[in-house]
Amino acid sequence: MPTRILVIEDNPANMELMTYLLNAFGYELLTASDGETGLTMAIREQPDLIICDVHLPQLDGYGVIRVLKRQPALQEIPAIAVTALAMAGDRDKLLDAGFDGYISKPIEPETFIAEIAKFLPAGQAPRTPAPGSPLLLVVCNAESNRARLAPQLGSRETVWADSVRQAVELAQTHTFSLALVDLEGAPEDCLRDIENAKSDAAFAALPLIIFVPSGTPKGRTGAISGTARFLPRTVEPGVLADEIETCLHHENRRQDGDHTDR
Ligand code: MN
C-alpha cells in the first residue's frame, strides 16, 4: 500500500509544489486547504504523515496539532509544520505544541522529499525503482484519462506529470525509459507543447507514445520527429501493452549500444 500523506495548506502555490513533489515520488496525497477540513480528513483517513501549514483559515496549525495529539488513534502519526516563522523561539513553540518537526518556507524542491522522508518509518521511504526496471513517465492533464490509463500500466513503475512542463522537469532528474503523453485539449496546442519540449535534451531523448487528440489534422503528427508512436485514445489495452513492450525493448537495445536494430 502506498504511503499516504495529508497536506493541509491554504496557499495554492505551496500546495501545488508539495503535491507535485510528493506525487512524483510515489506518495498518495490527501489535501485540505483549511484546518477544520484537514482535521476531519486526518480522523477519517488516518494518513501515514501529516504536513500542516501554520497560518490556516478556520483552525490554524496550532489548533490542528492540539486536537490531533489528543486523539489516541492519531497521536502516533508524525506531523510536520510548514512555517515561514524565522525565529528559533517560534520553532520551539511549534515543537512544544506537538509537531514532530518543521519545514521552512519557502519550500526547497531539492530537499523537501528528503526532509519529509525522515519522519516516515523505514520502508515508507520515497519509492525508488529497482535498478534496471524501466521507469515510465506518463503526461496526463485530465483526471478521466488518468483513470483510464492507470489500470493499463499494471505494476510498472510510473511517475505521473500533469503537464508537459512538469514532464520536462522530471526528465531532468529521473531516468525514464519511455514517456506516454495523453493530453486533453486542442490538438494544435498539445502537439506544439510536445514539440517545444523536444528542445530539452533530456526529454528529447525519451521514446514517446502519444495518444493523438481527436481532431488532429492528418499529417500534423509528422512534425514531431524522433522515436514517437501515435495511438488513438480508444486503443485496446492489449495493444497498448504490446506497444509499451516494443518501445522498452527497442530502448534497451539502444542503450546496450546495439545500433543495428532499426
Ligand atoms: Mn497559510
Side-chain angles (χ1 to χ4, degrees):
M1 191 158 140
T3 303
R4 292 153 76 242
I5 298 180
L6 169 62
V7 182
I8 311 172
E9 167 67 84
D10 64 324
N11 178 292
N14 279 334
M15 178 63 103
E16 191 189 348
L17 178 57
M18 287 192 275
T19 306
Y20 161 55
L21 292 167
L22 293 166
N23 270 330
F25 281 84
Y27 293 114
E28 193 177 305
L29 263 278
L30 302 158
T31 59
S33 55
D34 68 77
E36 288 283 1
T37 310
L39 206 47
T40 308
M41 288 182 85
I43 292 163
R44 194 179 61 212
E45 302 286 344
Q46 310 262 312
D48 297 296
L49 177 75
I50 297 167
I51 299 173
C52 187
D53 181 28
V54 176
H55 297 287
L56 286 166
Q58 313 296 341
L59 185 66
D60 71 2
Y62 289 104
V64 171
I65 198 69
R66 205 174 303 124
V67 178
L68 275 182
K69 292 297 178 184
R70 261 198 237 127
Q71 312 256 337
L74 298 174
Q75 60 193 199
E76 299 301 323
I77 301 174
I80 308 172
V82 183
T83 177
L85 303 175
M87 310 297 280
D90 293 327
R91 290 175 177 178
D92 288 343
K93 211 171 129 197
L94 290 170
L95 299 180
D96 289 345
F99 280 107
D100 298 280
Y102 51 77
I103 290 177
S104 301
K105 285 185 189 178
I107 289 154
E108 300 289 345
E110 293 77 16
T111 55
F112 177 71
I113 294 294
E115 284 189 67
I116 66 118
K118 284 189 272 186
F119 294 94
L120 287 168
Q124 292 186 337
R127 189 179 60 187
T128 44
S133 76
L135 183 61
L136 303 191
L137 172 63
V138 183
V139 192
C140 203
N141 60 357
E143 194 54 49
S144 55
N145 292 338
R146 213 175 258 252
R148 176 179 57 80
L149 267 180
Q152 299 192 43
L153 302 175
S155 59
R156 292 193 180 284
E157 292 286 355
T158 306
V159 175
W160 295 82
D162 292 331
S163 66
V164 175
R165 181 184 60 82
Q166 222 178 60
V168 168
E169 287 170 19
L170 286 165
Q172 288 164 355
T173 52
H174 294 61
T175 305
F176 295 107
S177 300
L178 172 67
L180 277 73
V181 185
D182 192 358
L183 296 175
E184 202 72 68
E188 283 301 321
D189 297 342
C190 297
L191 295 172
R192 194 191 50 237
D193 282 353
I194 299 168
E195 278 165 21
N196 290 343
K198 285 276 190 178
S199 66
D200 177 87
F203 188 84
L206 268 178
L208 299 177
I209 291 178
I210 300 168
F211 290 90
V212 187
S214 53
T216 303
K218 231 178 155 63
R220 179 63 182 81
T221 53
I224 296 172
S225 55
T227 48
R229 285 162 183 265
F230 295 90
L231 293 176
R233 281 221 173 88
T234 51
V235 67
E236 296 282 330
V239 173
L240 175 59
D242 287 349
E243 288 284 344
I244 292 174
E245 274 309 318
T246 306
C247 287
L248 292 175
H249 176 71
H250 275 262
E251 180 62 7
N252 272 340
R253 297 188 61 155
R254 197 182 63 76
Q255 285 179 350
D256 290 346
D258 181 352
H259 297 291
T260 60
D261 186 21
R262 293 281 178 218

